[in-house]
């Protein structure tokens, strides 16, 4: 799978069970009620499908969707 | 204090359909859900494909039955839990208990499962052993735990009372219903959601079951000559049990009574059944229910269609009922829905109670002729009945026997 904003948002939606439309760029993981296991699942799927390895310690609950997409794109 | 335990809701999913209405329509019409299952190997090894008779759940239809339910908090859901949720929601909604205050503190959930989430474990192990990948999905453990169906039901329905899974292989959900009945009798809870769930039609489970040497290569033919063995099914069934006083106070519709439960261990062999242990469990259930063995009953046999189960069960039935046996009617519904392992007892209990209330015994399918060792008063075609008592037998590998007695309300 090619690394793209659409692919990253698709993975977050699938792993968190949220509607993709709910993933506003300025919303934080906390605001979206994406819990720690969903975050771990998202990081696993990002690594598995996009080949991008993210250190979970680099993410905090205040990160926005936009921050996360930017982080994945930078590391790709 | 009156602690009679009544039935106020049923739900089920299996190869026969999603929901009791579809299930009953299929089984009463003599339809079988057993078909040829063919899944090609995920790798280049042809030996890893699944090919043989089975009765599987339409997963898409099962998900559709839960449309409108907020499942997000439940995380990843193995088919093991999906089946339980569909059956549980049907049972609780049918009982008129959805959102009822009793669900909060005075309700137990007791589910029976023979194994955990096989699909989830297969996917994880396939990554490790076939694809040489180092990691598995972080929700592998929570979604495949054998207790996950109970947790998922509690989360969706807001149940904060005692909640757990009982595992006794093919008798799991009979033990679940029976032990839940005792929780109500003892006053620990007013309501119990009791049943079973199983989702074992996966490659790993399939190969393991076939290795035991008890699987038929054609179909399930309980108590028949030339029977070849059992056929795997999958699915779930949930029963709402309630103290009579609680059900009456809220004006619930009473579907019948769980009147008795007998359990016994053979303590003899890990796979071969023992007639003495089976007989002990059947007699214990009758004693518990205060139902005499000569009262005409619908006997929902364990009837797996294996070489060893059927004559052992028939011998025990003959020993218990003796000359009264012709008054009874025996059914063997695994011939229609396959063997749901941990879920099978609950499904058979629900079908049996439905048969009593409709006055019709579903036919035993696949019967080729009488095996003298298995001679029972079988319903070989759709059979009108006027019995008010159901005896539902379940026996498991490892010699774990559990028998339930249901009764139509007066």
């Amino acid at each position: 799978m090619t690394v793209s904003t659409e692919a990253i948002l698709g993975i977050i939606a699938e792993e968190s069970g949220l509607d993709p439309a709910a993933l506003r760029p300025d919303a934080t993981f906390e605001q979206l009620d994406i819990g720690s296991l969903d975050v771990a699942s998202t990081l696993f799927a990002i690594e598995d499908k996009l080949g991008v390895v993210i250190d979970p310690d680099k993410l905090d609950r205040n990160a926005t969707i936009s921050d996360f997409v930017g982080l994945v794109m930078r590391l790709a | 204090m009156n602690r009679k335990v009544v039935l106020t809701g049923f739900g089920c999913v299996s190869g026969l359909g999603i929901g009791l209405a579809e299930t009953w329509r299929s089984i009463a019409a003599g339809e079988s859900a057993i078909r040829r299952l063919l899944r090609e190997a995920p790798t280049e090894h042809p030996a890893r494909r699944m090919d043989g008779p089975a009765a599987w759940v339409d997963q898409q239809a099962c998900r559709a039955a839960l449309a409108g339910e907020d499942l997000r908090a439940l995380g990843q859901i193995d088919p093991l839990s999906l089946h339980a949720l569909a059956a549980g929601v049907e049972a609780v909604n049918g009982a008129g208990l959805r959102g009822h205050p009793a669900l909060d503190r005075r309700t137990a959930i007791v589910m029976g499962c023979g194994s955990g989430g096989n699909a989830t474990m297969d996917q994880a192990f396939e990554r490790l052993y076939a694809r040489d990948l180092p990691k598995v999905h972080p929700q592998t453990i929570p979604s495949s735990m054998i207790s996950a169906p109970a947790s998922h039901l509690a989360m969706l329905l807001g149940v904060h009372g005692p909640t757990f899974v009982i595992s006794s292989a093919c008798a799991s959900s009979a033990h679940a219903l029976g032990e839940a009945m005792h929780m109500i009798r003892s006053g620990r809870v007013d309501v119990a959601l009791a049943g079973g769930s199983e989702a074992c039609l996966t490659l790993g489970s399939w190969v393991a079951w076939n290795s035991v040497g008890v699987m038929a290569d054609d179909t399930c033919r309980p108590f028949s000559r030339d029977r070849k063995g059992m056929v795997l099914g999958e699915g779930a069934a949930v029963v709402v049990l309630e103290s009579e006083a609680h059900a009456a106070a809220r004006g619930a519709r009473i579907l019948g009574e769980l009147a008795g439960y007998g359990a016994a261990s053979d303590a003899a062999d890990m796979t071969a059944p023992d007639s003495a242990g089976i007989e002990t469990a059947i007699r214990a259930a009758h004693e518990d229910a205060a139902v005499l063995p000569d009262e005409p009953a619908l006997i929902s046999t364990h009837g797996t269609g294996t070489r060893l189960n059927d004559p052992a069960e028939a011998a025990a039935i003959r020993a218990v009922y003796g000359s009264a046996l012709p008054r009874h009617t025996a059914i063997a519904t695994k011939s229609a829905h396959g063997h749901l392992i941990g879920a099978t007892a609950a499904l058979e209990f629900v079908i049996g109670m439905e048969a009593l209330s409709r006055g019709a015994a579903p036919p035993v399918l696949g019967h080729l002729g009488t095996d003298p060792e298995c001679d029972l008063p079988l319903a070989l075609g759709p059979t009108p009945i006027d019995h008010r008592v159901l005896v539902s037998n379940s026996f498991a590998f490892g010699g774990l026997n559990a028998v339930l007695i249901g009764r139509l309300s007066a």
Side-chain angles (χ1 to χ4, degrees):
Chain A
M1 195 184 284
T2 314
V3 180
S4 66
T5 300
E6 193 182 24
I8 297 165
L9 292 177
I11 288 171
I12 299 172
E14 186 178 339
E15 296 298 330
S16 67
L18 285 169
D19 188 327
L23 302 178
R24 301 184 320 275
D26 61 337
T28 66
F29 279 72
E30 185 162 26
Q31 286 166 343
L32 291 167
D33 192 26
I34 298 177
S36 58
L37 191 55
D38 286 341
V39 170
S41 301
T42 300
L43 297 186
F44 166 81
I46 293 283
E47 180 178 338
D48 202 45
K49 293 174 180 169
L50 303 180
V52 178
V53 181
I54 298 168
D55 180 353
D57 295 338
K58 291 247 160 49
L59 266 187
D60 67 55
R61 300 275 290 152
N62 296 319
T64 63
I65 294 297
S66 175
D67 293 339
F68 183 75
V69 170
L71 178 65
V72 177
M73 299 290 260
R74 274 200 306 282
L75 294 171
Chain B
M1 187 178 176
N2 172 18
R3 299 303 298 185
K4 186 192 275 190
V5 177
V6 297
L7 314 166
T8 56
F10 295 140
C12 58
V13 301
S14 71
L16 289 170
I18 308 296
L20 179 55
E22 195 179 344
T23 302
W24 178 258
R25 187 205 58 73
S26 302
I27 200 163
E31 294 173 10
S32 176
I34 296 172
R35 289 165 289 153
R36 182 187 178 193
L37 176 68
L38 179 58
R39 286 188 197 151
E40 292 302 334
T43 68
E44 68 274 18
H45 301 289
R48 292 186 186 168
R49 78 175 185 171
M50 298 166 70
D51 185 4
W56 59 92
V57 170
D58 180 340
Q59 299 296 322
Q60 213 173 351
C62 196
R63 280 200 174 274
L66 291 164
E69 301 288 346
D70 184 2
L71 304 178
R72 190 186 159 224
L74 279 54
Q76 288 215 339
I77 298 172
D78 186 273
L80 177 71
S81 284
L82 188 72
H83 300 160
L85 289 165
V89 164
E90 181 190 4
V92 171
N93 288 352
L97 274 172
R98 199 68 187 271
H100 191 282
L103 285 184
D104 185 19
R105 300 283 168 197
R106 294 290 299 165
T107 293
I109 296 178
V110 186
M111 292 293 284
C113 302
S115 59
N118 287 281
T120 300
M121 294 307 280
D122 262 24
Q123 282 162 16
F125 291 155
E126 193 267 341
R127 291 176 60 89
L128 296 182
Y129 303 135
R131 291 197 273 151
D132 210 19
L133 293 168
K135 294 181 183 175
V136 300
H137 196 284
Q139 295 189 42
T140 298
I141 293 295
S143 67
S144 71
M145 298 186 301
I146 196 169
S147 52
S151 298
H152 281 146
L153 277 169
M155 291 166 76
L156 184 66
L157 299 169
V159 171
H160 294 92
T163 293
F164 52 92
V165 160
I166 285 177
S167 188
S168 52
C170 306
S172 297
S173 50
H175 283 108
L177 263 72
E179 296 302 326
M181 176 193 77
H182 279 297
M183 292 174 79
I184 294 174
R185 280 187 185 173
S186 69
R188 287 182 66 194
V189 293
D190 295 322
V191 179
L193 315 182
S197 186
E198 201 73 63
C200 54
L201 289 174
T202 59
L203 181 62
S205 163
W206 180 267
V207 172
W209 273 105
N210 276 280
S211 303
V212 184
V214 294
M215 308 301 287
D217 62 3
D218 51 358
T219 193
C220 175
R221 305 183 188 280
F223 305 107
S224 171
R225 65 173 166 79
D226 300 329
R227 65 186 179 281
K228 292 185 174 177
M230 55 181 268
V231 170
L232 280 178
E234 62 176 0
V238 174
V239 176
V240 178
L241 306 176
E242 200 163 347
S243 76
E244 185 180 45
H246 191 269
R250 69 181 186 89
R253 188 166 60 106
I254 310 291
L255 306 171
E257 178 193 351
L258 178 51
Y261 163 52
S265 163
D266 294 345
D269 193 280
M270 283 307 284
T271 53
D274 177 10
S275 282
I278 294 172
E279 187 183 331
T280 300
I282 299 172
R283 288 189 190 281
H286 275 281
E287 193 172 324
D288 188 41
V291 169
L292 293 172
D294 60 359
E295 184 170 341
L298 178 66
I299 302 173
S300 178
T301 63
H302 187 56
T304 56
T306 58
R307 193 171 55 84
L308 293 183
N309 172 82
D310 293 4
E313 181 173 11
I317 288 173
R318 284 196 296 267
V320 172
Y321 299 104
S323 60
L325 186 56
R327 296 180 196 176
H328 305 300
T329 306
I331 57 173
T333 59
K334 288 184 181 75
S335 59
H337 52 63
H339 195 330
L340 277 66
I341 313 299
T344 213
L347 178 64
E348 289 161 24
F349 182 79
V350 167
I351 290 172
M353 289 306 299
E354 188 71 5
L356 289 187
S357 70
R358 290 180 180 264
V364 179
L365 305 177
H367 201 263
L368 299 172
T370 303
D371 173 347
E373 278 193 295
C374 302
D375 195 10
L376 292 174
L378 297 173
L380 293 175
T383 305
I385 53 172
D386 58 4
H387 309 316
R388 302 192 64 77
V389 170
L390 167 71
V391 179
S392 190
N393 290 345
S394 295
F395 318 122
F397 272 1
L400 311 180
N401 310 302
V403 176
L404 301 168
I405 292 191
R407 184 160 45 197
L408 290 180
S409 301

